[in-house]
């Protein structure tokens, strides 16, 4: 039975749900993983993620269709993008088939939190991975945890799909030959000052330019750009430092 939630007035914020998926990597292998009700994470004070930001994540959604089915959009591509992120950060990869299966199991375990069709809300799915064992020298961790939680959300921008005001940012989103092409936590930490500053100046988002020449458009802090030229041509920015889109 669907939860008694005011679906139409949800913001884009965390709401704890009842179940999440957890799998641990140790001695070179992932365990079977499980659905758990425990929303807390306990790690060493010297964990790799805390010392050297060795973490990556993904984001996708589950929707209720008009005929009542619950579906996800291209979870296999999110799985592959996370594999690419893990390889760049010297983290063990979580297999694509296991990733998709874990997403399905986590959604099923929280099915009452999937918003109804027509509400404008969705169930946001957050898979993530981080180094857990103590690491004091600069090197990859040896142990990791892969988790998925879900939370019902409204539109990312207040007011939904309406025009927003974007500024050309003075800050770079990523460094040339850096980690802009993966979904690493450290990329988003670097963007926090830029987005707070943009909001204080009255803008909804930043338009980031290419970090090498600052003459070409790359992306915003929260989405890719799509341009339609005067002659009706569909154009998306191309760069080695842009995060690959799932929806395009």
């Amino acid at each position: 039975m669907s939860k008694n939630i005011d679906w139409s007035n949800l913001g884009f914020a965390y709401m704890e749900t009842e179940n999440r998926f957890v799998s641990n990597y140790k001695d070179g292998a992932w365990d079977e993983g499980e659905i758990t009700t425990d929303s807390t994470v306990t790690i060493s004070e010297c964990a790799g993620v805390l010392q050297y930001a060795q973490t990556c994540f993904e984001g996708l959604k589950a929707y209720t269709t008009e005929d009542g089915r619950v579906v996800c959009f291209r979870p296999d591509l999110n799985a592959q993008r996370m594999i690419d992120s893990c390889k760049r950060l010297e983290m063990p990869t979580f297999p694509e088939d296991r990733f998709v299966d874990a997403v399905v199991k986590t959604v099923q375990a929280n099915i009452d939190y999937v918003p109804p069709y027509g509400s404008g809300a969705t169930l946001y799915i957050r898979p993530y991975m981080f180094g857990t064992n103590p690491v004091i020298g600069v090197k990859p961790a040896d142990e990791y945890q892969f988790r998925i939680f879900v939370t019902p959300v409204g539109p990312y921008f207040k007011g939904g799909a309406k025009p927003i005001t974007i500024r050309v940012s003075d800050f770079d989103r990523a460094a040339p030959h850096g980690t802009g092409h993966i979904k690493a936590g450290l990329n988003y930490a670097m963007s926090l000052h830029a987005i707070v500053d943009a909001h204080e100046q009255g803008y909804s988002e930043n338009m980031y330019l290419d970090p090498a020449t600052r003459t070409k458009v790359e992306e915003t802090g929260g989405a890719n750009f799509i341009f339609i030229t005067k002659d009706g041509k569909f154009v998306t920015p191309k760069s080695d430092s842009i995060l690959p889109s799932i929806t395009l």
Side-chain angles (χ1 to χ4, degrees), residues 1-246:
M1 181 180 294
S2 181
K3 294 292 183 180
N4 185 21
I5 296 173
D6 187 1
W7 305 110
S8 298
N9 289 307
L10 283 176
F12 197 88
Y14 174 71
M15 176 188 297
E16 184 176 326
T17 58
E18 294 168 3
N19 300 286
R20 64 273 308 135
F21 179 85
V22 181
S23 181
N24 291 288
Y25 181 90
K26 187 176 181 179
D27 298 328
W30 290 102
D31 65 17
E32 292 184 1
E34 63 177 352
I35 294 292
T36 177
T37 59
D38 189 358
S39 62
T40 61
V41 176
T42 302
I43 53 177
S44 166
E45 63 183 351
C46 194
V49 63
L50 300 179
Q51 303 308 313
Y52 302 116
Q54 200 181 16
T55 180
C56 61
F57 68 98
E58 274 300 323
L60 62 157
K61 294 178 177 179
Y63 309 81
T64 300
T65 62
E66 190 172 5
D67 61 3
R69 294 178 301 129
V70 174
V71 299
C72 295
F73 186 71
R74 296 177 175 175
D76 57 320
L77 297 188
N78 289 98
Q80 184 56 57
R81 192 166 68 176
M82 183 170 236
I83 288 172
D84 294 339
S85 295
C86 289
K87 289 179 178 179
R88 179 64 175 82
L89 296 174
E90 291 296 330
M91 301 168 70
T93 59
F94 199 76
E96 179 183 314
D97 58 339
R98 292 196 58 190
F99 179 103
V100 174
D101 182 64
V103 166
V104 171
K105 286 179 177 176
T106 309
V107 172
Q108 289 175 334
N110 295 282
I111 199 70
D112 293 343
Y113 288 94
V114 181
Y117 176 79
S119 65
T122 55
L123 186 72
Y124 186 77
I125 306 164
R126 170 53 61 87
Y128 59 113
M129 188 192 300
F130 50 92
T132 56
N133 68 291
V135 179
I136 196 64
V138 181
K139 63 179 182 179
D142 297 313
E143 299 175 8
Y144 296 84
Q145 188 166 103
F146 172 82
R147 299 177 68 97
I148 302 177
F149 69 78
V150 298
T151 183
V153 297
Y156 187 79
F157 291 104
K158 293 180 179 179
K162 296 180 180 179
I164 60 173
T165 304
I166 298 176
R167 72 168 182 181
V168 176
S169 180
D170 292 330
F171 301 99
D172 288 331
R173 187 190 62 82
H177 311 296
T179 57
H181 63 295
I182 64 171
K183 210 165 176 64
L186 59 93
N187 294 349
Y188 295 81
M190 290 177 60
S191 73
L192 294 178
H193 176 68
I195 192 61
V196 168
D197 184 68
H199 289 167
E200 290 177 348
Q201 301 299 322
Y203 298 93
S204 299
E205 255 289 9
N206 288 293
M207 172 187 283
Y208 291 105
L209 304 180
D210 75 286
T213 69
R214 295 188 59 79
T215 61
K216 301 178 178 67
V217 172
E218 284 220 322
E219 62 181 17
T220 71
N224 296 91
F225 277 109
I226 298 172
F227 295 98
I228 305 298
T229 62
K230 290 182 179 180
D231 59 356
K233 186 178 180 181
F234 180 93
V235 178
T236 58
K238 302 247 182 321
S239 167
D240 291 338
S241 58
I242 293 177
L243 183 70
S245 173
I246 301 299

